[in-house]
Amino acid sequence: MSSATNRPVIFLLSDSVGETAEFVVRAAASQFNGGDAVIRRIPYVDDKKTIRETVESAAEEGGVIAFTMVVSNLQEYLFDVAAEHDVPVVDIMGPMLNTLATLYEREPKREPGLVRKLDDDYFRKVEAIEFAVKYDDGKDPRGILRADVVLIGVSRTSKTPLSMYLAHKRLKVANVPLVPEVEPPDELFQVAPERCIGLSIDPDQLNGIRRERLKSLGLTAQANYANMERILQELEYAEQVMRRVGCPVLDVSNKAVEETANMVLDMLRKGGDST
């Protein structure tokens, strides 16, 4: 115990940020009259020199070491050096890893920082979903130039569900409906063609989809929205716009959203090559 502060000195060694170790140590220390301890966090430990210096400091101050390092050779080195200096060491992750290894019936990856990587992955997904909602259905053309991919097509070509599915794959997606009476936003012709994908569909299938949509809304199936002549006009107009953009085109007829999404992902990996 440090004579200068009369408080326990706890060194936290981590091969990542060290938040897990600090949280556990503070939780444990709180059980002792409020947990008034000196905590010194040493993050991103990946070399033996740092470990030895930390052990020597702990020995000088009468402190202890808690760690969440998962790399085996660094763990072993820490235990060896700590034994030389008679410094107590607490392995925070070890018991849980050993128990889970038995349950999973395999060894852990022992890769530093996986929790933070998972957290980053989660927040990227949330950000992509929020982006897809904000820039759905051409609400704000500014999203077109910020998107990882832009989907264009007539109404009921699965632009929105496809955008959301791709967002769960951490892609920022904007989609723009193509309507003959509405000029496409200028931004659509500024985006790189390989980042834009046109969605086409068989006219008869689109007619059936739109009829069902009208029924669900309690509207007559005779509305212009489901009129075949109107549908052909929209599809022809959409084809003209897609040619102007120069983007690859996917036929979504009789395809599930998941199937179309996998095709989009494949096209993006190939740089927009639709062949």
Side-chain angles (χ1 to χ4, degrees), residues 9 11 40 51-63 87:
V9 180
F11 293 81
R40 295 180 181 160
I51 292 174
R52 177 167 287 278
E53 290 175 348
T54 303
V55 171
E56 290 172 350
S57 296
E60 289 175 7
E61 299 193 50
V87 173

Side-chain angles (χ1 to χ4, degrees), residues 160-261:
T160 295
L162 183 56
S163 295
M164 297 306 299
Y165 189 95
L166 292 171
H168 279 82
K169 300 294 184 181
R170 298 170 298 286
L171 285 175
K172 294 181 179 178
V173 186
N175 73 75
V176 180
L178 299 179
V179 184
E181 293 78 16
V182 180
E183 182 68 20
D186 293 337
E187 289 84 352
L188 188 58
F189 304 102
Q190 297 170 18
V191 70
E194 63 271 15
R195 283 175 45 216
C196 183
I197 295 178
L199 304 178
S200 67
I201 190 170
D202 175 77
D204 290 323
Q205 184 176 350
L206 181 58
N207 180 257
I209 292 172
R210 289 189 173 184
R211 284 177 176 273
E212 290 301 315
R213 175 60 175 166
L214 289 173
K215 287 180 183 178
S216 70
L217 296 174
L219 302 174
T220 172
Q222 304 304 315
N224 192 43
Y225 182 68
N227 178 277
M228 181 57 80
E229 184 177 344
R230 168 66 182 184
I231 286 174
L232 292 172
Q233 178 190 4
E234 288 186 33
L235 291 174
E236 182 180 357
Y237 172 74
E239 186 179 345
Q240 293 172 1
V241 173
M242 293 172 194
R243 282 201 299 265
R244 283 176 60 194
V245 174
C247 63
V249 179
L250 277 180
D251 186 347
V252 300
S253 304
N254 300 310
K255 289 185 176 67
V257 170
E258 295 83 355
E259 182 181 359
T260 305

